[in-house]
Amino acid sequence: MTTISDPHVPAVSAEPIEPQLLDRDVSRSRLAVVVGVGLTLFAVLNATAAIYLYRGISDLRTVEGRLEELGTFEQRIVARLDTVNNGFQSRFEKLDSQLQGSFNEINGSIARLEQNPSSARDDSSTSTAEPVATTSTVADASSNNSDVAAEPAAVDTPRPLKRKSAAPPAPDPSYQRTETPDGKVYYRKIN
């Protein structure tokens, strides 16, 4: 092998020459800047997260306070409903006792009339009380028409004196009267 050497050309060595891109001092300062920027970004992110977390906790405390107020509000509503319910119950009990008293009085009067029919005629001639009439409705279970209603049946108590009774009211022209063979009377609304 022949080697040609030129004195003006630099000699090539077997080891490759790596150019030094960064100097050690320059690379250390750049690394310090990058680490500083990264730490700054991390601190900003932590501060932002802390602010949002604080706001969330504050909103949560506000909601808890409102929920506690809602509990007391619910207790006040329940107390008022109980008061209203007790008022209705006492009124219903009073009405029930009045109705029971009236029914007992009516039953006693009927019993006296049945025991002494002659004296009841004499007593009733002086009284101006109106006869008691009760109404009941008869429903046809086999009827499919929802507009069908039963005619109220009036049951009069025995009258000791003959009085002129008032004529029944005229039927409403918007209803059609239908009488079945078994004697039931129905009214159907005419559309």
Side-chain angles (χ1 to χ4, degrees), residues 133-175:
T134 59
T135 60
S136 64
T137 58
V138 179
D140 186 9
S142 63
S143 174
N144 292 332
N145 191 352
S146 63
D147 292 332
V148 174
E151 174 185 8
V155 178
D156 293 333
T157 57
R159 296 181 189 164
L161 292 177
K162 290 195 173 194
R163 293 185 187 174
K164 198 173 196 182
S165 62
D172 192 0
S174 63
Y175 289 90

Side-chain angles (χ1 to χ4, degrees), residues 27 65 69 98 134 141 162:
S27 69
E69 291 173 7
Q98 288 175 351
T134 59
K162 290 195 173 194

Side-chain angles (χ1 to χ4, degrees), residues 29-187:
S29 65
R30 285 185 182 174
L31 181 63
V33 168
V34 169
V35 169
V37 169
L39 288 175
T40 305
L41 287 175
F42 185 70
V44 168
L45 287 174
N46 278 339
T48 305
I51 289 171
Y52 280 112
L53 185 63
Y54 177 75
R55 285 183 184 172
I57 291 173
S58 169
D59 291 342
L60 185 63
R61 287 181 182 156
T62 304
V63 169
E64 283 179 6
R66 288 183 181 175
L67 286 176
E68 287 175 5
E69 291 173 7
L70 188 62
T72 58
F73 178 73
E74 179 184 3
Q75 289 174 353
R76 286 185 294 178
I77 293 278
V78 167
R80 290 197 182 188
L81 284 176
D82 286 343
T83 303
V84 170
N85 188 21
N86 290 337
F88 278 127
Q89 283 179 347
S90 67
R91 286 185 183 187
F92 283 136
E93 289 172 359
K94 183 178 178 183
L95 181 63
D96 184 43
S97 66
Q98 288 175 351
L99 286 174
Q100 287 295 337
S102 297
F103 286 144
N104 291 338
E105 185 178 318
I106 290 170
N107 288 339
S109 297
I110 290 173
R112 277 185 297 188
L113 286 175
E114 289 175 352
Q115 290 175 356
N116 296 329
S118 60
S119 66
R121 287 186 187 137
D122 295 339
D123 290 343
S124 64
S125 63
T126 59
S127 85
T128 59
E130 291 292 322
V132 177
T134 59
T135 60
S136 64
T137 58
V138 179
D140 186 9
S142 63
S143 174
N144 292 332
N145 191 352
S146 63
D147 292 332
V148 174
E151 174 185 8
V155 178
D156 293 333
T157 57
R159 296 181 189 164
L161 292 177
K162 290 195 173 194
R163 293 185 187 174
K164 198 173 196 182
S165 62
D172 192 0
S174 63
Y175 289 90
Q176 178 184 6
R177 184 174 190 261
T178 307
E179 189 169 347
T180 60
D182 61 349
K184 295 179 183 175
V185 178
Y186 298 98
Y187 289 94

